[in-house]
């Protein structure tokens, strides 16, 4: 369906006669109904390739080579001739729909605009087509009277998909279509694209930095580096048997960020196993009538030694309830929770609220060791060593939590969680209260400690950027049930 031959895209460099080669003589094909993904570092030429295919390059760009769509060389056409293909035969979904949709035009008008431009059908036929398309992307017809700012991120992205598919194109280009969405909406959008691909036999060129998504979503993968395609193959070929050094480097650079298993390595020891877990809350107090309410339903998952498993979901979905059950703070459970370690410990979202404000840091860190009846000298040595591990000097032992910054308090919270020797740490929104620079420091600290002490984490966060930086796998929980994994 699409055949790209020797495609090059150049841009003039400012104040010089030289040119920047964004895309350098690349060639590839996409068959009808096939999903081809492009991966590579920022600046590798992924988006410029997509824009070159659909015809949306800037006026400064110099494009050469051949782009055949159903046998027609698009680069040989005039601008007017090429526009007849845009939207009708070739469509594009952009990364941020809020900047791509017209903010002063109602959604219905923007969808209808595509039909007016490309299909000679009556107004009634257009109305029926819009209704069918909205239903296909999971939206109701009343959304037509709303403006983009009145919609959620997921709904705006569905509108973009509706615009892209309403003329039944042969090829849809999706450029980072789920990056700005939370994990549950991401899953919905990917399922929707897959459904459209299967029912309409529409080809998809899929660009994403999320390699876990690419691995599970695409039929073939192109690896781009410095404007060139350095390797191509099936997901299994790319992820389990990469041939080129750059591909190996690209995959090896992010194993702890998004959980891609690059080889058939032996699975490590299971540190936590949750089987058929149901959790209940008893409502009502005193001797009156009490009602038992189920809040978690048949939860099953494992965490292996050295693994970081993320837990994401909306407020009230059961994340904290699951944490409490694992910690043993909620005894109203059915099922099994087995952890092969000293009882799991917790790093809290707000360390100021979880540290005793009347006590000094030295006393706070010694307390769990004091309960275990460890002798004073050994307690003090352990506290000093652990404080150093989290990047704090001995002088902090004489300070109270109010004397510390947010980042310093969180370091104390991490030290407190580690000091008893547990290998499993539950981190509940541990960086959400911190500014971005301190966030980066704490995340690096958590990863460094993981490597040094062979820790495993159950990491709870609403920030998907944070999740992708630290997690090997991400569990999605909704209304008390685990509904997916990334």
């Amino acid at each position: 369906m699409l055949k790209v031959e020797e495609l090059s895209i150049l841009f003039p460099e400012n104040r010089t006669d030289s040119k920047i080669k964004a895309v350098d003589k690349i060639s590839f094909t996409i068959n009808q109904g096939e999903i081809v993904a492009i991966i590579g570092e920022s600046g590798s030429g992924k988006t410029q390739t997509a824009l070159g295919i659909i015809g949306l390059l800037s006026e400064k760009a110099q494009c050469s080579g051949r782009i055949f769509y159903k046998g027609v060389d698009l680069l040989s056409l005039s601008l007017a001739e090429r526009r007849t293909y845009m939207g009708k035969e070739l469509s594009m979904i952009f990364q941020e729909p809020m900047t791509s949709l017209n903010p002063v035009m109602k959604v219905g008008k923007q969808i209808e605009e595509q039909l007016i431009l490309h299909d000679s059908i009556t107004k009634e036929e257009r109305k029926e087509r819009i209704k069918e398309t909205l239903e296909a992307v999971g939206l109701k017809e009343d959304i037509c009277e709303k403006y983009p700012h009145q919609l959620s991120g997921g709904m705006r992205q569905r509108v973009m998909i509706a615009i892209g598919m309403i003329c039944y194109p042969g090829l849809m280009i999706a450029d980072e279509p789920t990056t700005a969405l939370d994990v549950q909406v991401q899953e919905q959008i990917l399922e929707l694209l897959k459904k459209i691909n299967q029912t309409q036999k529409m080809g998809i060129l899929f660009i994403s930095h999320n390699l876990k998504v690419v691995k599970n979503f695409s039929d073939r993968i192109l690896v781009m580096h410095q404007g060139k395609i350095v390797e191509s193959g099936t997901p299994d070929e790319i992820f389990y048997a990469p041939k080129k050094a750059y591909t190996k480097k690209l995959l090896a650079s992010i194993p702890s960020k998004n959980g891609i298993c690059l080889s058939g390595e032996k699975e490590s020891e299971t540190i936590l196993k949750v089987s058929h877990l149901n959790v209940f809350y008893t409502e009502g107090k005193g001797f009156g009538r009490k009602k038992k309410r189920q809040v978690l339903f048949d939860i099953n998952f494992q965490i292996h030694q050295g693994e970081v498993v993320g837990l994401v979901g909306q407020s009230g979905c059961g994340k904290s309830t699951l944490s409490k059950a694992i910690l043993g703070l909620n005894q109203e459970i059915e099922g099994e929770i087995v952890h092969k370690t000293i009882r799991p410990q917790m790093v809290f979202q707000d360390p100021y609220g979880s540290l005793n404000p009347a006590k000094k840091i030295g006393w706070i860190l010694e307390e769990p060791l004091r309960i275990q009846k460890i002798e004073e000298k050994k307690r003090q040595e352990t506290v000093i060593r652990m404080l150093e591990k989290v990047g704090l000097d001995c002088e902090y032992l004489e300070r109270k939590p109010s004397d510390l910054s947010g980042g310093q308090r969180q370091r104390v919270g991490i030290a407190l969680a580690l000091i008893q020797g547990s290998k499993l740490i539950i981190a509940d929104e541990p960086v959400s209260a911190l500014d971005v620079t301190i966030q980066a420091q704490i995340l690096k600290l958590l990863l460094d400690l993981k490597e040094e002490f062979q820790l495993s984490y159950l990491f709870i966060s609403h920030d998907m950027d944070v999740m992708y930086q630290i997690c090997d796998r991400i569990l999605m929980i909704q209304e008390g049930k685990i509904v997916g994994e990334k």
Side-chain angles (χ1 to χ4, degrees), residues 363-474:
W363 189 96
I364 292 172
L365 292 176
E366 274 193 61
E367 185 181 25
L369 304 178
R370 195 180 297 113
I371 292 171
Q372 294 179 24
K373 302 187 185 305
I374 295 174
E375 61 177 357
E376 184 177 2
K377 184 179 179 181
K378 191 173 181 180
R379 287 201 311 264
Q380 292 174 348
E381 290 174 351
T382 303
V383 166
I384 292 170
R385 185 173 67 253
M386 190 55 64
L387 206 60
E388 290 174 348
K389 292 293 184 185
V390 299
L392 295 176
D393 297 326
C394 295
E395 64 184 75
Y396 289 94
L397 294 172
E398 296 301 313
R399 298 186 186 184
K400 292 183 177 180
S402 59
D403 299 324
L404 276 57
S405 68
Q408 291 167 343
R409 285 195 290 265
Q410 195 58 288
R411 289 173 185 269
V412 172
I414 293 169
L416 187 60
L418 295 177
I419 204 160
Q420 295 183 70
S422 176
K423 295 295 184 181
L424 176 61
I425 305 298
I426 299 175
D428 187 2
E429 297 277 9
V431 296
S432 63
L434 307 176
D435 68 62
V436 66
T437 54
I438 305 301
Q439 273 191 19
Q441 295 172 15
I442 296 300
L443 290 174
K444 184 179 185 303
L445 173 62
L446 289 171
L447 289 173
D448 289 345
L449 292 171
K450 178 177 85 78
E451 295 300 322
E452 181 172 354
F453 294 104
Q454 290 297 296
L455 301 175
S456 304
Y457 294 123
L458 178 62
F459 192 91
I460 301 170
S461 177
H462 69 279
D463 189 331
M464 290 310 301
D465 288 335
V466 169
M467 286 291 210
Y468 286 133
Q469 287 179 49
I470 197 168
C471 296
D472 297 308
R473 291 185 292 123
I474 301 173

Side-chain angles (χ1 to χ4, degrees), residues 112-158:
E112 187 180 24
E113 192 175 44
Q114 287 291 94
L115 291 174
I116 293 172
L117 286 170
H118 298 294
D119 272 343
S120 300
I121 57 178
T122 66
K123 186 173 182 179
E124 285 302 313
E125 288 173 327
R126 290 200 299 270
K127 185 177 180 180
E128 186 60 30
R129 178 86 71 85
I130 291 169
K131 181 181 178 181
E132 290 175 358
T133 305
L134 288 174
E135 287 177 354
V137 299
L139 294 174
K140 295 181 180 178
E141 194 175 7
D142 59 6
I143 203 172
C144 291
E145 295 302 312
K146 295 185 177 181
Y147 292 94
H149 73 273
Q150 296 174 308
L151 308 178
S152 68
M155 293 171 76
R156 285 194 293 266
Q157 194 62 284
R158 288 170 186 268

Side-chain angles (χ1 to χ4, degrees), residues 209-235:
H209 72 274
N210 186 335
L211 300 191
K212 183 71 174 291
V213 167
V214 168
K215 179 176 180 287
N216 296 326
F217 184 71
S218 57
D219 300 313
R220 280 192 298 123
I221 299 172
L222 310 176
V223 183
M224 285 195 74
H225 179 52
Q226 296 180 348
K228 297 177 181 288
I229 293 176
V230 297
E231 188 167 356
S232 64
T234 65

Side-chain angles (χ1 to χ4, degrees), residues 228-386:
K228 297 177 181 288
I229 293 176
V230 297
E231 188 167 356
S232 64
T234 65
D236 283 351
E237 289 170 342
I238 294 297
F239 283 90
Y240 297 112
K243 296 176 182 176
K244 300 296 183 179
Y246 174 74
T247 307
K248 294 176 183 178
K249 178 184 174 183
L250 182 68
L251 298 176
S253 66
I254 54 170
S256 62
K257 293 183 181 179
N258 55 10
I260 295 168
C261 179
L262 302 181
S263 64
E265 295 177 2
K266 186 179 179 181
E267 201 172 66
S268 57
E269 181 186 5
T270 299
I271 206 80
L272 173 72
K273 184 176 181 181
V274 177
S275 303
H276 304 292
L277 177 66
N278 298 307
V279 179
F280 305 86
Y281 280 140
T282 299
E283 298 175 333
K285 297 181 180 180
F287 296 100
R289 187 175 181 181
K290 296 180 181 180
K291 181 181 179 182
K292 185 176 282 191
R293 180 169 62 91
Q294 188 170 355
V295 288
L296 290 182
F297 304 83
D298 196 31
I299 301 294
N300 297 275
F301 70 94
Q302 297 180 7
I303 299 178
H304 299 106
Q305 183 178 347
E307 188 178 30
V308 181
V309 175
L311 186 64
V312 67
Q314 298 174 333
S315 178
C317 67
K319 302 189 298 296
S320 295
T321 299
L322 178 56
S323 300
K324 290 176 183 178
I326 294 170
L327 289 167
L329 300 177
N330 188 334
Q331 299 293 324
E332 294 186 77
I333 66 172
E334 295 174 351
E336 188 177 44
I337 301 173
V338 178
H339 32 77
K340 297 181 180 179
T341 178
I342 298 170
R343 185 173 293 280
Q345 296 297 310
M346 189 92 163
V347 177
F348 295 94
Q349 178 177 356
D350 178 15
Y352 191 68
S354 57
L355 298 175
N356 190 330
K359 298 295 185 180
K360 293 180 180 179
I361 299 305
W363 189 96
I364 292 172
L365 292 176
E366 274 193 61
E367 185 181 25
L369 304 178
R370 195 180 297 113
I371 292 171
Q372 294 179 24
K373 302 187 185 305
I374 295 174
E375 61 177 357
E376 184 177 2
K377 184 179 179 181
K378 191 173 181 180
R379 287 201 311 264
Q380 292 174 348
E381 290 174 351
T382 303
V383 166
I384 292 170
R385 185 173 67 253
M386 190 55 64

Side-chain angles (χ1 to χ4, degrees), residues 29-84:
T29 61
I30 300 178
N31 299 316
Q32 182 178 358
E34 188 179 29
I35 301 176
V36 175
I38 302 181
I39 63 174
E41 295 172 310
S42 178
S44 61
K46 305 185 300 294
T47 296
Q48 295 304 323
T49 298
L51 295 176
I53 292 169
I54 201 167
L56 292 176
L57 289 169
S58 71
E59 294 179 358
K60 295 180 180 179
Q62 298 176 14
C63 190
S64 62
R66 292 167 298 281
I67 302 174
F68 293 100
Y69 177 75
K70 294 183 177 179
V72 177
D73 185 359
L74 299 178
L75 294 184
S76 69
L77 303 178
S78 67
L79 184 59
E81 290 172 328
R82 194 163 184 185
R83 279 177 179 161
T84 63

